[in-house]
Amino acid sequence: MTDILQIAPRDKAEILAQALPYIRKFHGKTMVIKYGGNAMTDPELQADFAEDIVLLKLVGMNPVVVHGGGPQIEQALNRLGKKGEFIQGMRVTDAETMEVVEWVLAGEVQQDIVGLINQAGGKAVGLTGRDGGLIRARKLKMIDSKDPTKEHDVGQVGDIVEIDPSVVKALQDDQFIPVISPIGFGEANESYNINADVVAGKLATVLKAEKLVLLTNTPGVLDKQGKLLTDLSAQEIDGLFADGTISGGMLPKISGALDAARSGVNSVHIIDGRVPHSMLLEILTEQAYGTMIRSR
Ligand code: ADP
Ligand code: MG
């Protein structure tokens, strides 16, 4: 990354001026940002991210943060002598793992993000799916991707039944920045671990967001040779699923992204959260970053 101090003043002015049409276009619009677990382990990147969120809010947009926490959950499990297991990109969640997930996401990770945003001058409020009845869920029925007669038991992994965005809207109207942990609750008030990309995708749809930006730990979606795919249609995605190019955590990410794109979210991007200020560059400059997901 070029150091901002090395850029000539003229170029700096040009970059700033370029942001104006985007600030105008996105004024009052909701931006759902998924902050990936793997892109949020570096303290400097965390601080940059918090500043970017506050900047978006101050220029009149409505950022909503949904966070993950894969590495942090993995660390906590390791301390208990457990190791995470994944099936088709989803973390197998037994009762003990659920406790760890809830504690790490809602306790540690969410509160870190809230603290950093507040330090940067924003007013962040942490929520889980339980708060204000935000995310109702049920146990996910996971069908094997190759053999539709086979079903996997992934424990307390949740499937979203309904999102009630009223608590998010109320916070936005009061100038707060919602920071959401992807935990849902069921009919008996039981907790569910939901993939954060899936929550972000659905939330973007329900909030009629202008944009969904998924920050992750790769430059975007890569092809079999490791080359960045800058633009993907639903049809191309079907092909990548079928030939195994997309696997692991990228499976729910693409599903969440495609869902949002198909349900009216204007632009959906998977970008590299390891690049400082990548989200700001995506939203406020004409340059395209990462992979754009199109509904057709
Ligand atoms: P996050 O915390 O951002 O959700 P995940 O580990 O869940 O991170 O998902 C991102 C990971 O998906 C990448 O680090 C990579 O290992 C994996 N992945 C699988 N297929 C692809 C692909 N085609 N392009 C990019 N990443 C992929
Ligand atoms: Mg993930």
Side-chain angles (χ1 to χ4, degrees):
M1 173 82 186
T2 316
D3 194 314
I4 189 91
L5 298 172
Q6 288 170 0
I7 299 173
R10 230 183 111 147
D11 294 335
K12 266 193 224 168
E14 184 57 41
I15 292 167
L16 286 171
Q18 236 191 47
L20 178 63
Y22 295 95
I23 292 174
R24 192 186 294 133
K25 183 174 167 195
F26 297 144
H27 192 91
K29 297 274 162 67
T30 296
M31 305 283 171
V32 174
I33 318 287
K34 152 71 191 316
Y35 192 33
N38 287 301
M40 62 191 206
T41 44
D42 179 82
E44 247 177 76
L45 286 176
Q46 288 175 353
D48 286 348
F49 173 81
E51 284 171 14
D52 292 357
I53 290 288
V54 173
L55 193 149
L56 294 183
K57 188 75 177 178
L58 288 177
V59 298
M61 298 174 209
N62 283 319
V64 175
V65 178
V66 178
H67 69 84
Q72 292 87 344
I73 293 168
E74 208 54 39
Q75 259 184 16
L77 287 174
N78 290 347
R79 283 202 293 269
L80 296 171
K82 276 175 96 90
K83 205 182 166 304
E85 190 199 329
F86 288 84
I87 299 177
Q88 291 174 194
M90 298 293 191
R91 179 185 295 282
V92 178
T93 309
D94 60 14
E96 193 183 25
T97 303
M98 186 68 232
E99 251 182 75
V100 172
V101 166
E102 209 159 354
W103 167 64
V104 171
L105 292 186
E108 187 186 319
V109 177
Q110 178 201 82
Q111 288 306 301
D112 280 353
I113 300 171
V114 166
L116 285 168
I117 292 176
N118 292 351
Q119 245 184 324
K123 291 199 294 180
V125 175
L127 301 169
T128 72
R130 195 168 263 117
D131 293 298
L134 178 60
I135 308 169
R136 281 208 298 115
R138 63 174 164 234
K139 186 176 159 74
L140 176 74
K141 235 171 112 85
M142 189 190 273
I143 308 294
D144 189 86
S145 60
K146 299 206 174 66
D147 176 2
T149 61
K150 202 174 143 195
E151 200 182 313
H152 298 281
D153 187 354
V154 282
Q156 273 169 266
V157 173
D159 193 15
I160 298 173
V161 174
E162 197 183 10
I163 289 194
D164 175 353
S166 47
V167 64
V168 172
K169 287 186 178 155
L171 289 172
Q172 282 181 338
D173 291 345
D174 270 336
Q175 294 310 309
F176 292 105
I177 299 167
V179 175
I180 299 164
S181 305
I183 295 165
F185 72 104
E187 278 186 343
N189 199 29
E190 73 279 20
S191 301
Y192 286 106
N193 175 24
I194 313 178
N195 181 280
D197 296 310
V198 174
V199 170
K202 186 81 184 176
L203 191 64
T205 301
V206 171
L207 287 170
K208 299 186 170 59
E210 170 70 24
K211 253 184 208 284
L212 169 65
V213 182
L214 305 164
L215 296 174
T216 185
N217 64 339
T218 74
V221 184
L222 309 175
D223 70 10
K224 271 230 166 1
Q225 282 71 45
K227 213 175 117 260
L228 176 68
L229 298 160
T230 53
D231 199 282
L232 281 178
S233 66
Q235 204 183 359
E236 288 165 317
I237 288 169
D238 284 341
L240 296 176
F241 273 137
D243 73 4
T245 306
I246 297 171
S247 63
M250 197 49 82
L251 289 168
K253 202 179 298 299
I254 297 258
S255 303
L258 192 55
D259 244 24
R262 280 184 163 145
S263 319
V265 177
N266 260 337
S267 73
V268 179
H269 300 265
I270 297 174
I271 64 171
D272 196 342
R274 300 166 307 174
V275 175
H277 303 293
S278 57
M279 184 231 313
L280 213 53
L281 293 170
E282 202 304 305
I283 295 177
L284 294 181
T285 67
E286 63 190 347
Q287 170 94 44
Y289 289 87
T291 305
M292 178 164 175
I293 308 290
R294 287 183 289 112
S295 58
R296 275 177 294 150

